[in-house]
Amino acid sequence: MVDRASDAEIAEAVERLRRAAATGVPCAPVRELIGGWDQDAAYAVQRAVLDGRLADGARRVGHKIGLTSPAVQRQFGVYAPDYGVLLDTMVHTDREPLDLGRFLQPRIEAEVAFVLGKDLEGPSVTAAEVIAATDFLLPALEIVDSRVAGWDIRITDTVADNASSGAVVLGTTPRPLAAVDLPGLGMALDHRGETVSTGSGAACLGTPLAAVVWLARETARRGDPLRAGDLVLSGALGPMVPVTGPGVFRARLDGLGEVHADFVREGACLL
């Protein structure tokens, strides 16, 4: 029988992550407190950390999906994705300057963003319902970040840390879902004229659509269903790349166009 994390251990994990975000100093893994496999405890930590940010004035605008790559799932010893919550303070527009000082250990990956026009409720949402509920798609760059020192994470660490969320940059030209071949979509991520990551829609659970179906079911099961207007980051299309200094990353996604993340160093501006 696996020991469950106590309320005190969950509270300590919450404080550990909050302190890391506030000080900019990464913390020890929270699995030391809540164990390495109890995802329910990890989501409880995630919710508590987010409640603090909402109380400070942030606004919930959607969700992000992580662990959509089979290779990454094998690394974590799990065989399903995880998710985090997107806040308005995390969302940026194409080419908007991003201060490196707000991140601890940033990495970047290209994704397809879904914007929903209808609610998606219930634990048995279908692909057809996701298609019908999707208003449009956008190209996106997710800046993943970890409050845990050295990215020394397992499944409960990343779930508790809001699925290692940092920020997202969205392209500005919407495309209808029917116009995009999601499984066959090709992606190339460039930095300073060099291609640093490539991938495809098939690398994301076979198609980003399948990832959103999973998310709709899982969030409904946990009492937080997807709503009209939500932004959904559907998961990485290729390997993530470390962000080591100022500069521009450009992602090109077939059928969706380009999106740029412009990193600058303006001084400390912590999450």
Side-chain angles (χ1 to χ4, degrees), residues 190-206:
D190 300 337
H191 180 54
R192 295 178 178 172
E194 178 185 356
T195 299
V196 293
S197 179
T198 60
S200 69
C204 180
L205 293 186

Side-chain angles (χ1 to χ4, degrees), residues 29-259:
V30 298
R31 66 180 182 274
E32 298 175 350
L33 302 167
I34 62 173
W37 300 105
D38 188 351
Q39 292 191 47
D40 288 339
Y43 278 110
V45 173
Q46 180 189 119
R47 286 192 297 272
V49 173
L50 287 166
D51 284 347
R53 297 187 66 181
L54 294 170
D56 289 338
R59 181 171 54 87
R60 183 185 301 250
V61 296
H63 289 79
K64 63 150 285 184
I65 309 168
L67 301 180
T68 53
S69 161
V72 176
Q73 289 180 2
R74 287 193 295 272
Q75 174 188 342
F76 282 90
V78 297
Y79 297 94
D82 70 345
Y83 71 83
V85 174
L86 297 176
L87 303 175
D88 62 327
T89 52
M90 301 164 64
V91 182
H92 302 270
T93 305
D94 187 38
R95 300 179 187 273
E96 179 182 343
L98 299 169
D99 181 11
L100 280 167
R102 64 178 290 188
F103 305 107
L104 280 73
Q105 306 170 97
R107 301 178 180 183
I108 191 168
E109 57 193 26
E111 307 194 12
V112 177
F114 288 63
V115 178
L116 302 181
K118 300 177 183 177
D119 295 351
L120 284 169
E121 298 184 272
S124 57
V125 168
T126 67
E129 289 172 319
V130 172
I131 292 169
T134 299
D135 199 359
F136 56 87
L137 306 177
L138 290 169
L141 284 165
E142 184 186 1
I143 296 88
V144 290
D145 201 5
S146 180
R147 270 51 65 178
V148 177
W151 278 90
D152 177 14
I153 59 175
R154 300 294 182 268
I155 182 62
T156 51
D157 297 300
T158 186
V159 168
D161 193 22
N162 199 26
S164 303
S165 296
V168 56
V169 181
L170 297 175
T172 56
T173 303
R175 296 282 190 268
L177 188 153
V180 180
D181 175 11
L182 285 172
L185 177 152
M187 178 279 295
L189 179 62
D190 300 337
H191 180 54
R192 295 178 178 172
E194 178 185 356
T195 299
V196 293
S197 179
T198 60
S200 69
C204 180
L205 293 186
T207 169
L209 181 64
V212 180
V213 171
W214 175 86
L215 177 69
R217 294 174 177 175
E218 186 67 7
T219 53
R221 186 177 74 82
R222 293 187 178 274
D224 185 23
L226 301 182
R227 298 299 186 189
D230 275 359
L231 169 69
V232 175
L233 292 185
S234 57
L237 303 174
M240 61 183 176
V241 178
V243 180
T244 57
V248 177
F249 286 84
R250 177 186 67 167
R252 292 169 289 158
L253 282 68
D254 293 345
L256 283 175
E258 298 185 353
V259 58

